[in-house]
Every structure is written in structure tokens, then in C-alpha cells.
Amino acid sequence: METRMLGKSGLAVSALGFGCMGLSFGYGTVIAKPEGISLIQAAYERGVTFFDTAEAYGAANEEMLGKAVASFRDQVVIATKFGFAQGDVSKGLDSRPESIRAATHASLKRLGTEYIDLLYQHRVDPQVPIEEVASTVRDLIAEGKVRHFGLSEAGVESIRKAHSVQPVTALQSEYSLWWREPEGNLLSVLEELGIGFVPFAPLGKGFLTGTVNSETEFSQDDFRSSVPRFQREALSANQKLVELVISVAKEKGVTPAQAALSWLLAQRPWIVPIPGTTKLHRLAENVGSVEVHWDDEELKRIRAALAKIQTVGDRYPATHQRLVNR
């Protein structure tokens, strides 16, 4: 597996990470701990060294990851997140210094580790100055409990303010063939500051794989059931993008998922996507994307085709939309 550096931080990770969220949170399915542990270990055996979790994904998620990597802990990079009151998304944001410390200590215990490689603020809390958040994480780094600081879904102004107090190693936000807003000004700011970019939902929450269409029905405990982009009319309208991905993949001799992931990898050398899955064959498919390469002419043709397609539907319901880009 190719190794990439997250910006100028010195933190080296596998070119493709593994997002653990879907193992126990968000998609309406929770796999048994032994299965989750086995899948994480299979990812490591295939060269993945970068694993992403969060307090908000539930205690089982961090515990699963911690147990899976216990025997090779020093060979992997663990990223987790704080920022929701008592780790519960429904209770709102809480990035007060005392809450950050409590969340970090709890995560360390659940993960069964003495340090967290990359600690993200899950969402910017408007009630707590971002400089105060950065200062608290800086202290945790000085104490050896954390090694790197990250932000998730933060806006440019917050990134700059935080970075001035404690260098930000990575920003995590959505980026894919389906959501290219980071190309506006975010990527240039990250490059300027030497911050790595960790795209979540690099497969459009399953949409870019070609396995989701306007006839797909989501259970009530699958968060996509409330997302505007995943409503029937939007899915039907956005099918043009899937058709493009399928066409490009066929021409390249790869799967749609591999085309989508390798396209992301081709955008910048400090971009590290973190696709998640609960299936071993999908894991192998995702890892295979690292071997897919595009030349400038191919990328130019894809860009031209993308410019003719307009995405329909917001990526979050209104209640969540206001929590991003602060």
C-alpha cells in the first residue's frame, strides 16, 4: 500500500484509510464485534494503517477498533473525534475544555491505548472559541495523550484561527465525485497551510457504487432516509452522475467504486479517503483503487463531463446543514 503524508505534519498513513462509522452507526445495521474486529484486521493485512472512529459512533465502535489493532497498535494511526455533548449527536455540541478532556480520556479507555494519533473536533462549536479548543488539544499533545490535531467540517476562518494556536494536521470533510464543494477555496487553503485532507463518504454514501437508485428504500434508522440527496426524485435526477462513473470505470477496466476512489486520490498527494464497509469483498475492491492511476488527459475529460452534470439535493437535512463550514 502506498503511503501518504497528511500535509506537512509528518504523519504518514496508508493512501486509503478505513472509516469505522458504518460498523455500528448511521446505516441501520450493526455488525457483531467479532465480525468488525475481523474486518479491521483484514484491512490492516491489506496495507491499511489509518483507521477512523468517533465518540459519537457509540462506545462499541471505539472498543471494536481498539481490540482489533491491539496486537499491532504501534503500526497504525488511530483517529477519533470529540465535540458532541456526552458523545450523543442528539444532545448538541459541546467543545468546552473540560468536555474535551473528559471525551479524550474516555476514548483512550475504550480504545485501550495510551495515546490518540489524530484527535478531531467533530463539529465547530460556536459557543466555544476555536482558539480555546485548539489550546486544549495543544495541552493534551504536550501531555502525550494526543499526537495530532484535526478538524471536521470546519470552515476556512475556523481552520486559520485554530491553526494559529495549534497546527492542524488534517481536515476531515465530505469530498467525492458527487460533492466537489471543497474545490472552491478549501483545497487551496489546506495546501497553503500544509494541512492534509481526509474525505469521508468518498463513495457518496454508497451512491457512486451504482448499487443505489430511485427504487432503493432506506430503513428509518439509516440516516440516508432523511437526507435530501437520497430522496427518490433527487436520486433519479442524480443518476446521470452514476452513469458517468460507470462509463468511466468500464473504459478503465475497473469498478465504479475504484474509479471514484482513485479519482479522489489523483486530486492531491495529501488527500487520504476513508471509505467504510461491512463486507470483505468491498474492502478488497476499495483497496484495489490505490493501484488505479489516471493521466492528465483522462482527468481533463472527466472534469469536462462533470461540469455538465448538476447535483440535486442537499447533502444534509436542515438541522445538520447548519453545523458545517463554521
Side-chain angles (χ1 to χ4, degrees):
M1 172 76 75
E2 171 191 339
T3 296
R4 292 192 166 196
M5 201 73 70
L6 285 176
K8 299 176 182 176
S9 65
L11 183 59
V13 297
S14 52
L16 201 73
F18 184 90
C20 296
M21 185 187 84
L23 299 179
S24 65
F25 181 86
Y27 287 97
T29 57
V30 178
I31 69 173
K33 277 190 178 181
E35 293 177 32
I37 289 171
S38 178
L39 191 64
I40 291 169
Q41 291 175 337
Y44 175 72
E45 290 167 1
R46 287 163 173 75
V48 176
T49 62
F50 185 33
F51 296 90
D52 181 90
T53 181
E55 177 191 35
Y57 302 160
N61 206 277
E62 289 182 318
E63 290 170 357
M64 200 182 302
L65 176 56
K67 290 179 180 177
V69 305
S71 63
F72 45 85
R73 171 64 186 96
D74 61 344
Q75 301 299 310
V76 299
V77 171
I78 291 178
T80 192
K81 312 175 195 75
F82 65 83
F84 287 103
Q86 299 173 38
D88 187 339
V89 175
S90 68
K91 292 182 178 179
L93 301 170
D94 182 3
S95 280
R96 293 172 297 163
E98 60 270 30
S99 298
I100 295 173
R101 284 189 166 274
T104 301
H105 292 155
S107 288
L108 286 167
K109 184 176 181 179
R110 286 190 293 267
L111 289 163
T113 185
E114 295 181 353
Y115 62 93
I116 294 166
D117 298 279
L118 177 57
L119 182 65
Y120 292 102
Q121 181 187 36
H122 211 148
R123 294 291 186 274
V124 173
D125 185 347
Q127 302 303 315
V128 182
I130 193 69
E131 295 91 342
E132 192 171 343
V133 173
S135 177
T136 301
V137 177
R138 181 184 62 195
D139 292 343
L140 289 167
I141 291 174
E143 294 164 17
K145 296 169 184 173
V146 174
R147 293 190 171 176
H148 294 270
F149 176 37
L151 297 173
S152 178
E153 293 275 36
V156 168
E157 184 178 352
S158 293
I159 294 169
R160 289 189 181 280
K161 288 180 177 179
H163 193 69
S164 70
V165 176
Q166 168 59 43
V168 176
T169 290
L171 175 79
Q172 181 174 138
S173 192
E174 186 167 356
Y175 183 33
S176 70
L177 283 164
W178 201 15
W179 182 255
R180 302 189 304 281
E181 185 180 83
E183 295 172 354
N185 62 358
L186 185 60
L187 291 182
S188 61
V189 170
L190 297 181
E191 188 154 29
E192 172 198 338
L193 299 177
I195 298 173
F197 190 31
V198 179
F200 68 79
L203 296 174
K205 303 178 176 71
F207 185 64
L208 297 176
T209 65
T211 59
V212 175
N213 57 46
S214 60
E215 301 303 313
T216 302
E217 294 187 5
F218 302 103
S219 62
Q220 288 189 339
D221 53 357
D222 186 321
F223 78 100
R224 290 174 294 184
S225 65
S226 65
V227 174
R229 276 192 300 178
F230 282 92
Q231 303 312 302
R232 183 160 295 183
E233 289 185 5
L235 285 173
S236 180
N238 290 321
Q239 198 63 34
K240 292 179 181 178
L241 175 59
V242 175
E243 291 170 0
L244 171 62
V245 176
I246 292 173
S247 174
V248 166
K250 185 176 181 180
E251 184 178 332
K252 193 72 170 175
V254 299
T255 68
Q258 289 173 333
L261 290 171
S262 58
W263 178 86
L264 264 181
L265 289 167
Q267 301 311 302
R268 299 290 193 285
W270 35 266
I271 286 179
V272 181
I274 50 169
T277 184
T278 59
K279 299 177 177 65
L280 186 60
H281 73 278
R282 291 297 186 193
L283 168 65
E285 178 184 1
N286 292 346
V287 169
S289 67
V290 179
E291 302 302 321
V292 180
H293 302 285
W294 305 88
D295 62 36
D296 291 342
E297 186 58 35
E298 288 174 318
L299 292 172
K300 184 178 179 180
R301 288 202 302 270
I302 293 173
R303 284 278 174 189
L306 289 171
K308 300 176 183 177
I309 300 174
Q310 183 174 358
T311 295
V312 176
D314 292 333
R315 68 189 180 106
Y316 285 126
T319 52
H320 288 72
Q321 191 66 39
R322 64 173 183 264
L323 300 181
V324 304
N325 295 325
R326 283 175 162 167

